[in-house]
Every structure is written in structure tokens, then in C-alpha cells.
Amino acid sequence: MSTKTAKIDRLAELTAQRESAGGASLWTEALRRLRSSKMALIGGVVIAVFVLLAIVGPWIAPHNPLQQWRGEVFPNQNIFVGSRSENWLGLDHLGRDQLSRMLVGARQTLLVGVVATLLGFTAGALIGGLSGAALAFGGKTGQRIDTAVMRFIDMVLALPSLLLAVSIAAIMGQSLTTVMIAVGVVQIPVFARLLRGSMLAQAGSDYVLAARSLGVRRRRIVTAHVLPNSLGPVIVQATLALATAIIEAAALSYLGLGNPDAAQPEWGVMLVQAQPYFDHAPMMALYPALGIIITALGFTLLGEAMREALDPKLRS
């Protein structure tokens, strides 16, 4: 079993281990520990600021992000405009206000990350839920179904995620929708295996045994009890996947597979456009790069804090 697969399976076991220990409910205990976590606080603040900017950015941008300040920037002569009172972050290679493009571009960056993660979460949960239910309650036929599905999932997990995303985007062609689909497809195997492992852990719980002994139908046990109680680790993974989705979407844009309309501001596209002028105007690339790094760090910190809050072995 690969290290990547082992980590996913380990996360899937956390909820069942915590609930079997008794005491406060999983989410009550997790929320209590999150409130006292500096990591969760920092991540939450970063995410809140990013989401707020994505919502209000177009209204608070000081200038039109497509407006050009002509006669001030000459890239062929290595003449650029840095920070000044009219343009706090300077102008890009076409004379457009960098601050306005950063604020407006935050919305598209968030949109790509959220849609891609939702796509991966929905498809992965469907596959993982069906596979976990088949193995736990489907008898020999269910075991065969689970084996076939999980072997395919393991094969996809063995592929480098960015390479898989690039391959999908190259086949589908350059567009913003392509980026969302490519990044979302990469997330599907992770969510599928995680939910399947979490459901198997829950299937061995006492309440499932009691329900089966009382004659409750298997479908109701899965949909009303096992599945809802298995979503904890998957929600944690969704938070971490948002960070990965933002980075991979920026990488696809950097490779020229993102939004074909280069005039529309998006942090990954801005990073690509700044590359030829990095020697003479490094700040053009620094601002979108910092935006991507800080935002991804915020989601990662919150996701790691949630993972630790759910893991009894990591309690202080």
C-alpha cells in the first residue's frame, strides 16, 4: 500500500476511533479544541479575508481592472511603474492597475477552487459511498464491486496529481471550465477512498450491529446512520483540497491551459503574464504569487487544525 493511500485510510479511521472512546460528541469536542488552536484561528482569519475580498473586490477596486494607463509603461524598454499614490501596487506590463486586478481576480480564483472541490467531493462521495456500502453490506457481490472500484481508484491515486490534471486539461482544451473539471477530477479518488474507509470503520460500530439485529433495512442503515457519521474526515479533506485546488488551478494557468481570455484578472494568469518581465519588474509576479501562497496556507492551516481536532492521538 502506498504512503498516500495509507494516509487517506488513517484519516478515515479517526471519526470511528473518537466516537468509540465515549464522552462528548465528535463535533462538540472538535469545536472546543479548534477554538483553542492558534493554527485554526490564523487559517480562519486568512480564509475569511480571502472570501471577503472575493465578494466585495469588484466594488472596492480603485480602478477598472481593464483600464490601461497609456504612455507610462514601456515593456520593450524595460520601463515599468511601481507603487505610487494612484496605484498602490503599481501597473502591470499593459499599464493596468495591479491592486484592482488582484481584488477582482480573487473572485475567479475562489470560484475555480470551490467549484473544483465541489466536483471532486460530489463524484468522490458518490463512488466511495457506493463502494463502502457494497463492501460492508453487499455480501460477495458487493466485495467484487468494491474490489474493482478500489483497484481503479488506487491506480489513479498512484499518478502525480498535477500530471493528471495537465493531461485532462490538454485533452479538453483551454478554458476556465476545463481547469475546474481537471482539478476536480484529480480530487475524486481521494474523496472516494476516504469516504469508503470511513464507512467501513463506521460499519463495525455497535449502533450498526444493534440496527441490524433489530431488522432495520440495510439501505436505511447506510443512508440514515453510516453515511452521515462518516462525513467528518471527508469535510476535513475538503478544506485541505481547496488549498490544493487553488494551487493546481494556478499551475494550469501558468502552463497556458487556463482561461483563454487573458484580459480577465485571475491570479494564476497574472503570474503567467508577469514571467517575461521578472528581471525588471519582479513585483508584478510577487503580488499574485503571495496571494496564492497565503490563501493556500490559510486553507491548509485550517484543514490541519481540523484533522488534529478529530485525531485522539494528536490531542495535547
Side-chain angles (χ1 to χ4, degrees):
M1 183 180 295
S2 66
T3 303
K4 186 176 182 180
T5 302
K7 289 182 178 179
I8 295 174
D9 290 343
R10 168 62 186 148
L11 182 58
E13 297 172 0
L14 299 181
T15 304
Q17 290 183 1
R18 176 64 187 89
E19 289 182 346
S20 65
S25 67
L26 170 69
W27 289 108
T28 300
E29 179 70 12
L31 288 174
R32 183 187 65 80
R33 291 163 60 187
L34 278 176
R35 284 196 296 265
S36 61
S37 171
K38 293 182 180 180
M39 185 186 302
L41 177 62
I42 295 174
V45 170
V46 171
I47 293 172
V49 171
F50 174 59
V51 173
L52 180 63
L53 290 178
I55 294 174
V56 305
W59 289 283
I60 65 175
H63 304 285
N64 185 332
L66 303 181
Q67 174 189 351
Q68 296 181 349
W69 298 61
R70 300 182 182 276
E72 299 192 42
V73 177
F74 301 93
N76 57 336
Q77 302 177 26
N78 297 324
I79 299 177
F80 299 91
V81 176
S83 177
R84 61 183 185 180
S85 58
E86 298 94 339
N87 313 101
W88 289 3
L89 301 184
L91 303 178
D92 68 0
H93 65 294
L94 295 179
R96 298 171 297 192
D97 183 62
Q98 280 278 87
L99 177 59
S100 300
R101 293 182 66 79
M102 285 290 296
L103 291 173
V104 175
R107 175 177 293 185
Q108 186 162 309
T109 301
L110 178 63
L111 177 65
V112 171
V114 170
V115 172
T117 302
L118 286 176
L119 173 63
F121 177 90
T122 303
L126 179 61
I127 296 172
L130 292 175
S131 182
L135 179 59
F137 303 98
K140 291 185 177 181
T141 302
Q143 292 178 8
R144 296 190 187 98
I145 295 174
D146 174 74
T147 300
V149 173
M150 282 301 108
R151 295 300 73 79
F152 175 75
I153 292 296
D154 290 342
M155 285 169 38
V156 178
L157 279 173
L159 298 174
S161 58
L162 184 57
L163 178 61
L164 179 59
V166 169
S167 302
I168 295 172
I171 293 173
M172 296 186 62
Q174 183 184 14
S175 72
L176 185 62
T177 303
T178 294
V179 172
M180 296 178 185
I181 295 175
V183 176
V185 169
V186 169
Q187 303 287 354
I188 291 175
V190 178
F191 286 113
R193 184 161 187 102
L194 184 57
L195 181 58
R196 178 251 192 190
S198 183
M199 290 183 67
L200 293 181
Q202 290 291 333
S205 301
D206 292 339
Y207 72 87
V208 174
L209 178 61
R212 297 183 71 170
S213 64
L214 291 173
V216 180
R217 292 184 177 181
R218 294 178 181 179
R219 181 181 299 177
R220 179 162 180 79
I221 294 176
V222 172
T223 57
H225 301 287
V226 175
L227 183 59
N229 288 322
S230 301
L231 290 176
V234 185
I235 294 174
V236 174
Q237 178 60 34
T239 307
L240 295 169
L242 266 169
T244 305
I246 291 173
I247 294 174
E248 290 180 346
L252 292 179
S253 296
Y254 186 81
L255 294 173
L257 298 170
N259 192 348
D261 186 1
Q264 292 300 320
E266 194 270 327
W267 292 353
V269 174
M270 293 174 65
L271 193 58
V272 176
Q273 295 173 342
Q275 183 182 4
Y277 315 105
F278 187 79
D279 291 339
H280 302 281
M283 302 306 291
M284 284 175 51
L286 181 62
Y287 296 134
L290 283 178
I292 294 170
I293 292 171
I294 293 174
T295 302
L297 178 62
F299 283 110
T300 301
L301 289 176
L302 181 60
E304 286 295 324
M306 293 176 66
R307 183 181 66 83
E308 293 184 6
L310 289 167
D311 193 343
K313 291 187 176 182
L314 297 177
R315 284 181 295 178
S316 58

